Every structure is written in C-alpha cells, then in structure tokens.
Amino acid sequence: PAAAERISVGKAPGRAELAQEDINALLVERGLSGQQVVRLKGGDPFVFARGGEEAAALAKAGVAFEVVPGVTSAIAVPAYAGIPVTLRHSSTSFTVVTGHEDPTVGGPEGTVDWESVAKVGGTIVVLMGAARIGQIAARLIAGGRSPETPVASITWGTRPEQQTVRATLATIGERSLTAPATIVIGEVAAQHLEWFESRPLFGRRVVVTRAREQASALSGQLRENGADVIEVPVIAIADPLDGGAALRAAAAAVRDYDWVVLTSANGARRLLDCVRDARELGGVRVAAIGSATAEALRTGNIVADLAPDEFVAEALLDAFPEPQPHDKGKVLLARAEVARDVVPDGLRAKGWDVDVVDAYRTVAGRPTQEVLDLVGGADVVTFTSSSTVDRFLDAVGHQRVPRLVACIGPVTAQRARDRGLHVDVEARVHTIDGLVAALVDAVSAT
C-alpha cells in the first residue's frame, strides 16, 4: 500500500544496513505491536537466505507468520540468461551450493566439500560465489570436473543491468565477476537461448515524463522492449480553475451544438464524466484528435464521427466540414486550459461559432529528488506533449537532459526545439505505439 512504512534492511558485500539480529528483533517488535508486516526478500526466503532464522525468532516470540515461497535465483536468473538448469539429454540434475559461508565456521576454506560436489554430476549452481570463484573452480577441477566445462556468471539477473559472462572452469577465475552473481557450471551453461538481454531496448534507461496516471501504457511497452524505465511525472492533470463548472454547463446543453470536438483523452474522459450516458449526445457529431482520444470515447460507447489519420490539429481542420444550412452552426471544443488556438481559429475560419471550454489543466508534477537524481544517468527522455517538455526542463534543467530526446509528434518536437533541445526521435505515427516503435528503430540503428 502507498501509505505503508518502508524500512530498508538490505545487504551488499561488506555492507549491511541492519545486522541480522536487529532485523529479527524489528520483526518481532512490529509483529507484537499488532502491525501487519511484510518481510520482502529476493528469490526464495528459505534458499540461502536468512528467512529460516527470522521465522524461528518470530515463532519463539509467539508471533504468527506466513511464508510466501518465491522463485529462487538459482533457477530464475539462469532462465533470464537463456540457460535451463536441466536438459533431458545432458543434465538431469542440479545442485545449488552457496559460495559465501559463515566466516566463523570452517575457516577460509569453508565447509563445502567442492571435490565431492564435482563428483555428483549434472549442473552446479553457485550463489554468492563471485569473490571465490577461482578457488571454487580449482577445487571442482581437482574433484574431476573437466577444465573445459562451460561456466556462465549472470550479474544482476532479471534486472535491466543483467550481464552474462561466459567462460570455462579453467578460465573463469581470470574473469572479473561482479556481485550479485549466479554462477552456472555444466553443459547447460553453453546454451545460448537469450531472450531478455536481446530485447531491443535492453540496458537503456528511459525517462517517462507523463502524468503518473497516464504513464503506465508507455512505461509498460518500454519495459516489454527491455528498457529500464524511470517515471518522472513532471505534469499532473487537475480540474480547471473553475472546478469544471463551465464543462458541466456545456455538457448539460450539449444538444445545442452540431459538433463536439475533443483533442485529448483527458478531455474526452472529463466530458464523459459530465453526461449520464451516450444518449445525451444523440444527434450531436463528435470529432476526435488521436487514437487515444477515440479510445477514451469508446469506453463511453461513443464512436467518433470524425477522427483523422494524422493526430494533429491541422489534419482535423482539413477534414472538418463547413456548416450547412440545416446546421445550428455551433461547435463545442473541450480541451486543456492552455492550448494552441489552431483548432478554434480554424473552425471559426470555416464559419463555425465555437465555444471553447476548459476541461482540465496541466500543472507541475512533484517528482521526488531521489527520482530527479536518476535522470542524469538516463539514455533517453520521452516527451508526449509540449507541457511535458516545459515542466521537465523547469524541473531538471538542460544540463541533465539525456543523450537521446524522443517526441510523440511534430507539435511536441517543435516545442522541444523551441526550448533548445535537439530532437533525435520523432514518431511518424503520433501514438504511444508509434513513439515506442520509433525509439526502437533509432536505437537499433546505432
């Protein structure tokens, strides 16, 4: 839940934010206070993790708990590198071994009998063994494993930073491995079934500047293509200054108009909120700019009478008819509070009487400083409207603009240029799909 308290107790090689005994005590303390506590752990809490110790502390204190099994990194990480831990014809078993033991037990050599592990056969998966892999490999060879046995080490598995290093038992000790690493040893490590690291935007950090409630569609598509997405909501959608009174009044008298013109999905949704159902628009024609606007109307069972193929104001004006003798001659234009006057001016030039009503306004979002600090390390920034350009530059400045600038269409791109940016990607189809496709093409060409 958004309101839940978050306490970081993470660990990294040589560093722990909280000692294990303190984590146990914290769980017991919060549990005894009657709070509902989630102890979130990577992988499976009972596979080379301290979940068993934490559960024992809770049981001793009489605190009820539930264990939700996870997918151990010994299986999940190789899968993300395209490596099955078993293969029917060559590897019919796998052994999972920790490469990082309690330093107070067994001394520098540890307690794992690596020579015996070597004789078990099948696949060996070593967790937390990056620092000792040379020593481990030597002992496996001494136990009878061939020096030419394939080895794959996957760092930051399942994350956008994932990186796979391939070697053999004889050479893996010479490679520089970074923790956290999952190391696969055996014939399966020679498999090259990459699917995650081969995605077109893999390893690229992409900034999404849309309002938080609108970001999911773009962020989702970018992630599906392998991108590491940073959502920086520099804009937010708010009621117009009059609280929507003018829009409600116009919606109540909507049958006085021949046409309702909507230039965005936000405007469409706001209008639909003001009418009882689609029957309210009986006899009124509807025009929409953009597929997202038309889709928002369809959720209210309204199909746009006019939706030009090009998602810009100029295309709408080219296709819009002149008033006929039987028409009332009136158009309702529901749009953002601050917008270009191209549409109302163009409609008036065609002979229409146009009422412009503010359906919503775009205000500055409030991204956290932690999020803003991530922008400087990004590869791409995406803009889906002129307001996202302005608000982003106001929030982060020109110095931290990522190397590639991608815009959803010509109006947004022109605004970016007006603000001193070089536009590298401009979608030919002015939709979220078109923006992602254009970005994929641009990245693939580099």
Side-chain angles (χ1 to χ4, degrees):
E5 180 183 0
R6 287 159 169 77
I7 303 174
S8 176
V9 296
K11 300 176 182 177
R15 178 186 61 80
E17 295 189 29
L18 210 61
Q20 186 60 52
E21 294 75 14
D22 295 330
I23 296 174
N24 296 351
L26 180 62
L27 289 170
V28 169
E29 174 193 344
R30 295 303 183 97
L32 288 174
S33 71
Q35 291 183 318
Q36 186 172 13
V37 181
V38 174
R39 170 66 166 115
L40 187 62
K41 299 179 72 71
D44 188 285
F46 281 8
V47 177
F48 295 140
R50 308 293 281 274
E53 298 172 38
E54 295 169 9
L58 292 168
K60 183 178 179 180
V63 178
F65 63 90
E66 174 186 3
V67 177
V68 180
V71 180
T72 172
S73 58
I75 298 172
V77 170
Y80 262 66
I83 300 171
V85 294
T86 64
L87 281 174
R88 186 173 56 173
H89 56 274
S90 64
S91 303
T92 56
S93 67
F94 66 94
T95 304
V96 184
V97 191
T98 179
H100 179 75
E101 301 176 70
D102 186 338
T104 65
V105 180
E109 294 297 318
T111 61
V112 176
D113 186 347
W114 292 101
E115 289 78 9
S116 295
V117 171
K119 294 179 174 61
V120 172
T123 303
I124 301 170
V125 180
V126 181
L127 302 182
M128 299 174 288
R132 299 179 63 231
I133 189 56
Q135 177 185 348
I136 292 170
R139 291 186 63 182
L140 289 173
I141 292 172
R145 282 292 176 111
S146 167
E148 299 307 311
T149 301
V151 179
S153 176
I154 307 105
T155 298
W156 285 120
T158 77
R159 291 166 56 102
E161 306 95 317
Q162 177 175 306
Q163 185 176 25
T164 303
V165 173
R166 296 180 183 270
T168 64
L169 273 181
T171 61
I172 190 64
E174 304 168 3
R175 306 298 295 272
S176 177
L177 305 185
T178 304
T182 300
I183 303 169
V184 183
I185 301 168
E187 295 304 316
V188 296
Q191 295 291 311
H192 287 262
L193 305 173
E194 289 90 349
W195 61 273
F196 185 57
E197 293 179 41
S198 62
R199 291 183 175 186
L201 298 179
F202 178 80
R204 307 294 180 119
R205 178 169 282 184
V206 181
V207 176
V208 171
T209 55
R210 303 192 91 191
R212 191 175 301 281
E213 60 269 24
Q214 296 178 301
S216 59
L218 177 55
S219 297
Q221 287 200 36
L222 291 170
R223 290 189 180 106
E224 286 177 5
N225 281 279
D228 178 14
V229 176
I230 307 172
E231 291 188 358
V232 185
V234 295
I235 64 169
I237 306 302
D239 289 332
L241 290 176
D242 68 355
L247 181 63
R248 289 191 294 272
V254 71
R255 293 194 184 184
D256 292 342
Y257 297 94
D258 299 290
W259 283 90
V260 172
V261 176
L262 299 161
T263 60
S264 70
N266 288 316
R269 284 189 286 266
R270 295 268 173 154
L271 178 67
L272 289 176
D273 287 342
C274 294
V275 298
R276 183 182 60 182
D277 55 38
R279 290 173 295 179
E280 295 290 314
L281 274 71
V284 181
R285 288 166 288 178
V286 179
I289 297 178
S291 57
T293 308
E295 181 58 34
L297 287 169
R298 279 192 288 272
T299 64
N301 294 315
I302 297 171
V303 177
D305 299 278
L306 176 60
D309 292 335
E310 289 188 67
F311 305 154
V312 292
E314 290 77 3
L316 175 72
L317 293 173
D318 287 342
F320 208 89
E322 295 180 353
Q324 300 301 308
H326 61 274
D327 288 327
K328 306 180 188 72
K330 296 185 64 178
V331 173
L332 171 62
L333 172 59
R335 64 175 193 175
E337 193 170 74
V338 177
R340 296 193 304 157
D341 289 329
V342 173
V343 173
D345 290 350
L347 292 173
R348 290 178 181 123
K350 282 180 172 283
W352 293 99
D353 180 9
V354 181
D355 288 342
V356 180
V357 175
D358 296 334
Y360 64 97
R361 60 193 172 106
T362 301
V363 299
R366 297 177 180 269
T368 65
Q369 188 59 48
E370 182 181 6
V371 169
L372 292 175
D373 289 342
L374 295 173
V375 171
D379 303 291
V380 184
V381 60
T382 59
F383 294 122
T384 54
S385 66
S386 297
S387 58
T388 59
V389 175
D390 291 330
R391 301 294 188 183
F392 179 79
L393 291 176
D394 292 344
V396 307
H398 285 73
Q399 292 74 23
R400 289 194 290 173
V401 173
R403 181 176 59 86
L404 285 177
V405 173
C407 295
I408 198 168
V411 175
T412 304
Q414 186 56 53
R415 185 57 184 165
R417 295 186 186 98
D418 292 343
R419 290 295 303 266
L421 299 182
H422 180 272
V423 177
D424 305 278
V425 179
E426 182 180 321
R428 290 186 295 273
V429 179
H430 314 144
T431 63
I432 296 301
D433 291 351
L435 177 59
V436 174
L439 182 55
V440 167
D441 288 344
V443 169
S444 300
T446 59

